[in-house]
Amino acid sequence: MKKKVVAIVPVRKGSKRIKNKNFRKFYKSNLLEIKLKSLKKIKLINEIIVSTDSSKAIQIAKKYNVSCHIREKYFASSKCTNSEFFENLAKSIKGDFLMYTPCTAPLIKSSTIFNLIKKFLSIYPKYDSINTINYVKEHLWLKNKPVNYNPKKSPNTQDLPDIMKLTYGANIISRKKMINKKNVLGDKPYFYEINDIEGLDVDNPIDFEIAEYLYKKNF
């Protein structure tokens, strides 16, 4: 039996670092609309759901004829941990495989997500999740101590260890496993590398400006 792949686009009403981040003008549109247009091109997705507490997001979802999951107040608040949020999301939304793909990653291509879904369906259940990553090649410190190098033998950045960073551009996991793990990573994740442009996450005003510039240039 064919497995149902459900794409989930989380959109919270209150964004602290960038006011109305998901709805403010981004090139000729906004982050949410760009994400929905991109996902609707992908034939391997069976359903698209906007998970939100925002009336504006609900209006946009209706405009693009996609479903909505109305988030309870606590699960849309900063008091809610990521683990609580992921567990609630999976318990609330039906589907065999859930793909978590925030609109704050506007530069990940439809073709990349298509290939990611195709890859996951071919390697499941050997790998129980697939998660976009890229590599951090910087001299890192934590609590006044180096994390990934010896300062007395400081390497060039390209020679630093391959420390992976989850980009959260797209993550697929079974619904049951997401409930169990309270995360988008399974017990045996497959890490799907994407480039720095597609992996850019809009988290602050500088990210927003850079992403908009790159979107104009590349799309």
Side-chain angles (χ1 to χ4, degrees):
M1 184 180 294
K2 186 179 178 181
K3 300 290 187 180
K4 182 179 180 181
V5 178
V6 178
I8 302 171
V9 183
V11 181
R12 199 168 70 165
K13 181 166 57 177
S15 53
K16 293 184 177 180
R17 295 185 183 180
I18 309 175
K19 189 174 181 180
N20 294 319
K21 173 173 62 178
N22 299 304
F23 312 118
R24 67 180 287 186
K25 187 178 179 181
F26 183 93
Y27 189 40
K28 298 178 181 180
S29 185
N30 59 58
L31 292 176
L32 178 55
E33 293 201 16
I34 284 170
K35 178 58 65 175
L36 295 180
K37 287 177 186 176
S38 175
L39 293 175
K40 286 180 76 69
K41 296 176 184 177
I42 304 169
K43 293 182 180 179
L44 292 177
I45 295 174
N46 301 108
E47 186 178 9
I48 301 169
I49 297 178
V50 175
S51 172
T52 189
D53 64 329
S54 164
S55 58
K56 177 70 172 177
I58 293 170
Q59 290 175 2
I60 293 173
K62 288 180 179 178
K63 175 182 174 181
Y64 287 90
N65 196 30
V66 302
S67 305
C68 278
H69 161 243
I70 309 303
R71 222 183 293 178
E72 296 174 31
K73 186 175 180 180
Y74 175 76
F75 296 105
S77 73
S78 55
K79 294 179 181 179
C80 177
T81 66
N82 277 346
S83 294
E84 289 175 317
F85 168 65
F86 286 135
E87 181 184 26
N88 176 260
L89 203 58
K91 285 182 175 179
S92 304
I93 294 174
K94 305 298 182 183
D96 298 297
F97 298 123
L98 304 182
M99 183 173 74
Y100 181 79
T101 179
C103 53
T104 50
L107 300 173
I108 187 167
K109 298 175 182 177
S110 299
S111 58
T112 299
I113 296 179
F114 175 88
N115 290 330
L116 178 135
I117 298 171
K118 190 176 179 180
K119 179 68 177 179
F120 178 71
L121 294 176
S122 72
I123 60 176
Y124 182 84
K126 180 179 179 180
Y127 295 93
D128 58 3
S129 73
I130 190 167
N131 309 87
T132 53
I133 59 101
N134 54 30
Y135 292 96
V136 178
K137 290 288 190 178
E138 298 174 9
H139 296 108
L140 303 175
W141 285 65
L142 178 66
K143 296 181 179 179
N144 293 320
K145 292 182 180 181
V147 173
N148 60 341
Y149 75 108
N150 181 352
K152 293 181 180 180
K153 297 180 181 180
S154 184
N156 295 327
T157 52
Q158 64 266 28
D159 297 321
L160 287 167
D162 288 335
I163 296 179
M164 291 187 296
K165 178 182 75 173
L166 292 169
T167 70
Y168 288 100
N171 310 266
I172 307 176
I173 190 170
S174 74
R175 177 175 178 265
K176 290 181 180 179
K177 182 68 71 170
M178 190 169 172
I179 293 171
N180 177 260
K181 301 296 293 184
K182 302 180 182 181
N183 208 302
V184 292
L185 278 92
D187 293 305
K188 296 180 289 183
Y190 182 93
F191 295 114
Y192 193 92
E193 184 180 0
I194 58 177
N195 62 40
D196 289 339
I197 292 176
E198 290 194 85
L200 181 62
D201 179 67
V202 178
D203 189 46
N204 58 52
I206 294 175
D207 293 334
F208 193 96
E209 290 188 23
I210 293 172
E212 187 173 31
Y213 169 78
L214 290 172
Y215 188 85
K216 290 177 186 178
K217 185 178 180 180
N218 291 281
F219 291 86

